[in-house]
Amino acid sequence: MDMETVRDRGLVLLGCGKMGSAMLAGWLKGGLPAASVWVTDPHPSEWLKAQGVHLNADLPELPAIVLIAVKPQMMGEALPAIAALGGGRTLFLSIAAGTTIATFEAALGAQTPIVRAMPNTPAAIARGITAIVGNAHATESHLSLARSLLSAVGQVVRLEGEHQMDAVTAVSGSGPAYVFHLIETLAAAGAAEGLPPALALQLAKATVAGAGALAEAAEEDPGQLRVNVTSPGGTTAAALDVLMNEDRGFPALLKEAVHAAAERGRELGK
């Protein structure tokens, strides 16, 4: 299965919130015709209405792929509407957090090829990263198609198994919120040292964004980049003495936070 098949048979997008919209924008920009896309969404945005896709219309008889982008709490209502498409000839790709492959197999049939994915919100600016894993009926061709579609909004990585999805959710799925909070608190700390709040925020945003870009672009690992900017006995070293404290610094705090997110993911998936 390839993108030509998607153009010919159609792509169904079930739910078109922020993530679904980001993906749709990427596909349309990449050359997928609007006429090949069917979107089902009870509250379509003005942007979506203007894209020329089939909106809340009868679905194609045998779409190449159905992308499930509804919120988990809407899943019970959404799945019965597409159950008739299950059984093997249509690939289902889910970006719904916490909903397991087994849940989809129960609703769509065990023979249905299903790929579960966990994207993150930087997808909105095509800087996301998405982890994918398929069920037993998802072939290499199916996974390749999922990768192609998800590449429209950033990097794609493949997991060894679904058991890794809760950890991925805790690191990259929820992770942008941790970074946003870092920016908030870094700016607040700058203001506490006498900077105007707007300037402190500008410095914090640019510093976090620039450091992240450097970490991705540099050949050195982040540990070495940290060493590179840390002069013995200098200002950075004074701050890192606090942040790298094993009991109350980043090592303990982030380990605890990521574990809490992963555990919550496991609870929600039951």
Side-chain angles (χ1 to χ4, degrees):
M1 192 182 290
D2 54 27
M3 290 302 286
E4 284 188 12
T5 311
V6 175
R7 284 190 200 95
D8 294 345
R9 285 172 44 191
L11 179 152
V12 173
L13 181 54
L14 199 63
C16 198
K18 289 181 180 176
M19 191 65 71
S21 295
M23 290 183 170
L24 178 57
W27 300 330
L28 296 174
K29 186 179 178 182
L32 184 66
S36 295
V37 180
W38 279 256
V39 178
T40 300
D41 191 283
H43 307 291
S45 65
E46 292 305 312
W47 175 86
L48 178 57
K49 292 175 185 175
Q51 298 311 302
V53 300
H54 303 274
L55 184 56
N56 295 324
D58 290 340
L59 300 181
E61 196 170 313
L62 192 66
I65 184 166
V66 174
L67 189 134
I68 303 170
V70 297
K71 287 182 166 55
Q73 56 267 36
M74 306 290 289
M75 199 63 70
E77 193 179 317
L79 284 184
I82 54 168
L85 299 174
R89 296 187 65 190
T90 292
L91 169 64
F92 287 79
L93 171 58
S94 169
I95 62 167
T99 306
T100 63
I101 287 172
T103 299
F104 292 114
E105 288 178 336
L108 303 169
Q111 305 302 309
T112 304
I114 297 161
V115 173
R116 184 179 169 194
M118 171 52 64
N120 64 2
T121 55
I125 57 166
R127 290 294 304 274
I129 187 163
T130 305
I132 62 172
V133 63
N135 70 346
H137 293 281
T139 64
E140 287 300 320
S141 174
H142 288 131
L143 285 158
S144 176
L145 177 60
R147 181 184 286 274
S148 294
L149 286 166
L150 294 164
S151 292
V153 292
Q155 300 177 51
V156 181
V157 295
R158 188 165 160 186
L159 303 183
E160 293 172 7
E162 193 179 16
H163 64 283
Q164 295 178 324
M165 194 59 86
D166 293 312
V168 166
T169 302
V171 173
S172 59
S174 299
Y178 317 157
V179 179
F180 300 146
H181 187 50
L182 171 63
I183 293 170
E184 284 181 298
T185 53
L186 183 57
E193 291 299 323
L195 291 172
L199 174 59
L201 182 57
Q202 182 181 356
L203 291 168
K205 282 181 179 179
T207 299
V208 172
L214 178 58
E216 278 210 320
E219 290 184 7
E220 301 102 319
D221 65 35
Q224 185 58 49
L225 292 174
R226 170 181 50 77
V227 169
N228 293 350
V229 297
T230 308
S231 303
T235 57
T236 308
L240 289 175
D241 283 345
V242 177
L243 293 176
M244 296 178 70
N245 183 288
E246 286 293 333
D247 296 321
R248 64 189 187 95
F250 279 174
L253 193 61
L254 277 175
K255 187 176 180 181
E256 184 180 349
V258 169
H259 181 68
E263 283 294 289
R264 184 59 180 148
R266 292 178 189 112
E267 289 170 10
L268 292 171
K270 287 177 181 174

